[in-house]
Amino acid sequence: MGSLRFYSSLVVLVFTISNSSSQNKPVSCIIPEPVLTKLLDGSYTITDNIKLCLPENNVENLALSDILSELFYNNTGIRPGIVLNNKEVKSGIYLRLNLNWDSTIGNEGYNLTVDKKSIRIAANKTAGLFYGFQSLLQLLPFKTQENITGTQKKLEVPCLEITDYPRFQWRGLMLDVCRHFFTIEEVKRMIDEMVQYKFNILHLHLSDDQGWRIEIKSLPELTKTGAWRVPRTGLWWDREPPQDGEVAIYGGFYSQDQIIDLVRYASERHVQILPEIDVPGHSRAAIASYNYLSCTKLPYKVNPGSFFQDVAGHPYNSVVLCPGQEATYEFLEKVFNEVAELFPFEYIHVGGDETFKGFWSECDSCKKCMAYNNLKNTDELQSYFIKRVEKILNAKGKNLIGWDEILEGGLAPDATVMSWRGQKGGIEAAKQNHKVIMTPNSYAYLDLYQGDPVIEPPTYGMLRLKTCYQFEPAPDGISPSYILGGQGNLWTESVPAFRHAEYMFWPRSFALAEVFWSPKGKRDWNDFIQRTNIHLSRLDHADINFSRSFLDVIIHPLKDDNGNLIIQLETEVDNLEIFYTFDNTYPDFHSLKYISGEKLSIPKDADKFSAVTYKNNKQAGRTISIPIKDMERRVSRKSR
Ligand code: ACM
Ligand code: ZN
């Protein structure tokens, strides 16, 4: 999309919405929607000699000014000069730390004021200045050839006043770097993308059955052996186990120097990195490196897929750590010693999910440990294990986070729970006065399908954009003070490349950003979709991949009262028209038009149904075609 058209549509959007706005209606094109936006008359014109004016000359401000200047250049093609020590200039964007604490905006909030003479961002802390600047960038047109070469005469920002601060302190995204490996450069790119939408936690899932991804100097086999698996493509769940003599060549890991660099990069952008070492389940890569860690002591190989048998014929692929032997805790002491040194964040995630406990009831060490510690069952053994890991972390000044399975057998005293199997684990933990991060698979699992499986790359489940937008991290019936916030998780079993990770993150993470930052009462789906369309153009300009699946038709095959197959159609987004065919041709706006609520019966000779969405006579979504026999299968699968 050309810049002028983009910019004028943006200005028109800002003003159109403001003219018709009621008190609660969003009035900006910013994602996440700010708490309060007041549009004023006129605009500020940005010129080539604009300056970024920061407070005193210290290291933090110098790092911030470099980052903001680069962001401004990437967005506009203009590189602003830097002026420190609170000086005033002719044409300036002023970033000022409040001399008196403004309790409305807290640690991360800001006030952004644009008048005809200047742009001003005020905050209590640097994080607020950073987020205020991100909002300002979203009010600007994106970098284009016209403004790089100076042929675009005016870069204007509407005069306005914004007061903004987050609803939740924990606004996370998780990237699983185990199932597929992503380079440090890709992880940094991820940080660049997420901070535009005011996410502040990047959770890195660093160990699993499919790979160990962080250098631990005292345990070199973890990356020599554990970081590598045999290469496989194709469906994750159909992949062959490693064959005898086959070499493990797919994988990678982050050296400690890379981690130190990444942590600094993240922290300069106000992102905390949450490291996860997943134990006692999902530990096959560690066990492949050090066989003594499992109950069986058998040799295991790093898993290239998700097949459901191990070399000993156990029914589950996840060989687990032995919690009954001291050697396991000595190993974990070494791992967490180095992890705690590398990551300054107060939390370390220890997993705790999906542990197959069958090994433990057959293991002499586990049985002895249970008898000695009076543990009634393997749930209590798991709880004993997590409590011991918590002691290891606490001794290093860190707090433990675990998936909601750590509730089984009793929570560790100060554990924070990440609720993923819905929200019930989080609710239970909050009732027990524990802190909670809500990341339910029903609203926040970004590895799920976002459009019809016939047209999307293969994965599982379904999480449409609209469902993400309906996520409520603070459910009724518990004190919201226990809910730190929420997080979107991208497991990467079916995500072999970073471009595809972007496709899965965006725009569903726009929705999550708004859920985590904006006031609940400001959520407005139709307005969000208008802003999403603008932001997808921004991502396009920045060469960031994303999905437009939310514009596709949704096809519901059903049975009528007589057992005949019928079809109903809908869209996630309002005001789309749907056209369809039954004759094996691609539909367009001359085809049959679907009337909302209509039940389509299947013509006798039809063997395929196709449908597509249109807006203003232009194709909006993709054409989706499903053979009639597959529709029958979908219905019978649903009714089972
Ligand atoms: C998980 O998805 N197993 C936390
Ligand atoms: Zn054991």
Side-chain angles (χ1 to χ4, degrees):
M1 189 190 275
S3 71
L4 285 171
R5 230 169 71 222
F6 169 56
Y7 186 46
S8 44
S9 67
L10 189 132
V11 172
V12 167
L13 180 82
V14 168
F15 285 99
T16 314
I17 295 174
S18 87
N19 289 342
S20 63
S21 73
S22 65
Q23 204 56 29
N24 279 332
K25 197 122 173 63
V27 289
S28 76
C29 55
I30 294 169
I31 294 179
E33 176 64 31
V35 174
L36 267 178
T37 306
K38 193 166 150 204
L39 274 159
L40 305 169
D41 289 339
S43 60
Y44 175 87
T45 304
I46 290 175
T47 58
D48 282 355
N49 67 351
I50 189 139
K51 304 279 190 293
L52 271 186
C53 305
L54 285 106
E56 64 280 342
N57 191 350
N58 62 30
V59 179
E60 193 181 15
N61 285 335
L62 282 173
L64 179 71
S65 62
D66 281 351
I67 291 167
L68 299 188
S69 164
E70 190 65 19
L71 285 175
F72 196 83
Y73 175 72
N74 288 341
N75 275 258
T76 63
I78 296 172
R79 198 178 286 285
I82 309 291
V83 175
L84 293 162
N85 294 327
N86 284 325
K87 284 202 196 96
E88 297 274 321
V89 294
K90 189 155 170 269
S91 174
I93 301 171
Y94 296 93
L95 292 102
R96 295 285 184 256
L97 288 172
N98 294 326
L99 295 177
N100 297 315
W101 184 264
D102 177 347
S103 58
T104 306
I105 60 175
N107 285 324
E108 296 180 292
Y110 62 91
N111 288 296
L112 166 64
T113 311
V114 181
D115 61 31
K116 288 176 191 159
K117 296 217 173 72
S118 64
I119 297 175
R120 289 175 191 272
I121 302 171
N124 294 325
K125 293 202 163 177
T126 319
L129 298 181
F130 185 70
Y131 292 133
F133 200 81
Q134 294 294 350
S135 291
L136 171 65
L137 292 175
Q138 294 189 12
L139 296 167
L140 295 171
F142 205 76
K143 179 168 79 172
T144 64
Q145 216 42 49
E146 289 91 333
N147 54 41
I148 288 173
T149 54
T151 51
Q152 182 177 312
K153 290 286 176 301
K154 275 186 163 185
L155 286 178
E156 296 195 34
V157 194
C159 291
L160 46 69
E161 288 169 8
I162 293 178
T163 300
D164 199 15
Y165 48 88
R167 179 172 175 213
F168 293 106
Q169 71 187 72
W170 190 292
R171 305 180 302 280
L173 288 176
M174 188 213 72
L175 181 64
D176 166 15
V177 294
C178 293
R179 275 48 180 275
H180 283 100
F181 180 64
F182 299 92
T183 64
I184 282 286
E185 286 66 38
E186 288 167 333
V187 179
K188 284 184 176 173
R189 196 172 156 92
M190 173 77 214
I191 292 171
D192 290 343
E193 294 173 17
M194 63 191 270
V195 295
Q196 294 182 41
Y197 298 100
K198 303 187 176 81
F199 286 98
N200 64 350
I201 310 275
L202 175 62
H203 171 172
L204 288 181
H205 181 74
L206 289 166
S207 75
D208 212 302
D209 300 324
Q210 290 79 12
W212 184 280
R213 301 286 178 230
I214 178 170
E215 179 189 20
I216 300 295
K217 290 194 170 157
S218 58
L219 296 160
E221 276 308 317
L222 284 175
T223 41
K224 200 160 161 236
T225 300
W228 307 96
R229 63 171 169 82
V230 295
R232 292 284 183 275
T233 53
L235 293 176
W236 185 253
W237 41 89
D238 286 345
R239 291 181 176 191
E240 285 231 301
Q243 304 299 300
D244 284 345
E246 203 182 359
V247 186
I249 52 169
Y250 177 88
F253 64 91
Y254 308 124
S255 71
Q256 295 205 349
D257 284 346
Q258 284 179 313
I259 293 282
I260 290 165
D261 174 56
L262 181 71
V263 165
R264 182 196 47 76
Y265 188 90
S267 123
E268 286 175 357
R269 287 154 183 81
H270 299 277
V271 168
Q272 298 269 17
I273 298 189
L274 172 70
E276 180 184 355
I277 302 295
D278 200 349
V279 289
H282 289 270
S283 294
R284 195 183 181 108
I287 292 166
S289 311
Y290 294 101
N291 287 167
Y292 70 84
L293 291 171
S294 80
C295 293
T296 66
K297 316 288 185 256
L298 288 167
Y300 292 88
K301 290 195 171 140
V302 179
N303 188 352
S306 66
F307 50 88
F308 283 82
Q309 252 205 348
D310 73 7
V311 290
H314 283 104
Y316 199 82
N317 74 326
S318 254
V319 59
V320 301
L321 300 183
C322 174
Q325 60 178 6
E326 284 310 298
T328 299
Y329 301 98
E330 285 156 20
F331 167 85
L332 292 173
E333 173 72 42
K334 286 185 186 163
V335 170
F336 287 121
N337 213 13
E338 297 189 31
V339 170
E341 277 288 312
L342 287 167
F343 295 92
F345 198 21
E346 68 185 277
Y347 291 101
I348 292 179
H349 199 308
V350 305
D353 57 321
E354 297 180 312
T355 303
F356 175 67
K357 299 171 187 133
F359 294 101
W360 299 349
S361 27
E362 299 165 17
C363 164
D364 287 345
S365 305
C366 287
K367 285 193 270 191
K368 260 192 223 149
C369 173
M370 286 171 70
Y372 185 77
N373 292 290
N374 244 336
L375 307 172
K376 287 195 286 298
N377 52 41
T378 50
D379 279 354
E380 291 193 6
L381 181 56
Q382 173 171 288
S383 167
Y384 164 88
F385 171 87
I386 296 289
K387 284 173 184 155
R388 283 199 61 176
V389 173
E390 180 173 64
K391 284 207 181 105
I392 294 176
L393 298 193
N394 288 167
K396 301 178 195 317
K398 302 289 184 184
N399 293 317
L400 177 145
I401 296 180
W403 300 109
D404 56 64
E405 286 92 334
I406 66 168
L407 281 148
E408 293 159 7
L411 271 180
D414 294 311
T416 297
V417 171
M418 208 171 247
S419 188
W420 74 277
R421 296 175 301 176
Q423 289 178 281
K424 62 183 186 316
I427 292 169
E428 179 52 37
K431 284 188 177 154
Q432 295 180 30
N433 306 334
H434 285 252
K435 285 188 276 182
V436 171
I437 298 137
M438 287 294 190
T439 163
N441 47 8
S442 41
Y443 292 100
Y445 263 40
L446 302 171
D447 51 326
L448 272 61
Y449 278 115
Q450 54 193 318
D452 198 297
V454 297
I455 204 164
E456 295 286 337
T459 178
Y460 72 107
M462 181 63 74
L463 177 62
R464 293 188 185 272
L465 177 63
K466 193 168 192 175
T467 312
C468 284
Y469 200 67
Q470 290 161 345
F471 178 21
E472 175 41 50
D476 292 340
I478 49 167
S479 164
S481 63
Y482 291 112
I483 310 294
L484 295 181
Q487 186 172 287
N489 293 338
L490 184 63
W491 301 101
T492 58
E493 285 92 337
S494 304
V495 184
F498 188 68
R499 290 290 288 177
H500 191 53
E502 291 179 328
Y503 178 86
M504 301 303 271
F505 274 120
W506 311 112
R508 287 184 293 183
S509 299
F510 292 168
L512 295 179
E514 193 140 311
V515 166
F516 302 153
W517 179 283
S518 307
K520 189 175 166 187
K522 282 213 128 183
R523 270 195 239 170
D524 179 331
W525 169 246
N526 288 325
D527 183 82
F528 169 74
I529 286 299
Q530 285 197 56
R531 285 177 288 126
T532 292
N533 283 323
I534 293 171
H535 281 263
L536 294 184
S537 300
R538 296 187 78 86
L539 297 195
D540 226 1
H541 278 294
D543 203 18
I544 296 168
N545 201 13
F546 57 86
S547 161
R548 287 194 195 274
S549 312
F550 67 99
L551 296 171
D552 294 343
V553 60
I554 303 174
I555 300 176
H556 297 290
L558 306 161
K559 287 280 161 115
D560 69 11
D561 293 345
N562 302 320
N564 298 318
L565 183 69
I566 51 165
I567 296 171
Q568 283 200 296
L569 305 175
E570 64 169 332
T571 57
E572 278 182 79
V573 171
D574 288 356
N575 303 322
L576 293 182
E577 293 178 309
I578 307 174
F579 298 93
Y580 64 92
T581 61
F582 277 105
D583 61 1
N584 240 330
T585 61
Y586 284 131
D588 68 6
F589 63 99
H590 294 285
S591 308
L592 291 164
K593 185 173 170 183
Y594 183 75
I595 316 289
S596 176
E598 201 180 355
K599 292 177 177 153
L600 305 177
S601 29
I602 318 290
K604 255 203 173 64
D605 301 331
D607 66 351
K608 191 187 265 178
F609 176 74
S610 299
V612 67
T613 53
Y614 269 70
K615 178 150 190 173
N616 302 333
N617 289 344
K618 282 215 185 85
Q619 187 173 336
R622 298 167 293 183
T623 302
I624 298 186
S625 297
I626 309 181
I628 302 298
K629 62 179 184 337
D630 290 354
M631 300 249 197
E632 294 276 6
R633 264 189 234 129
R634 280 192 191 192
V635 180
S636 56
R637 230 182 292 138
K638 236 187 291 168
S639 59
R640 252 187 271 140

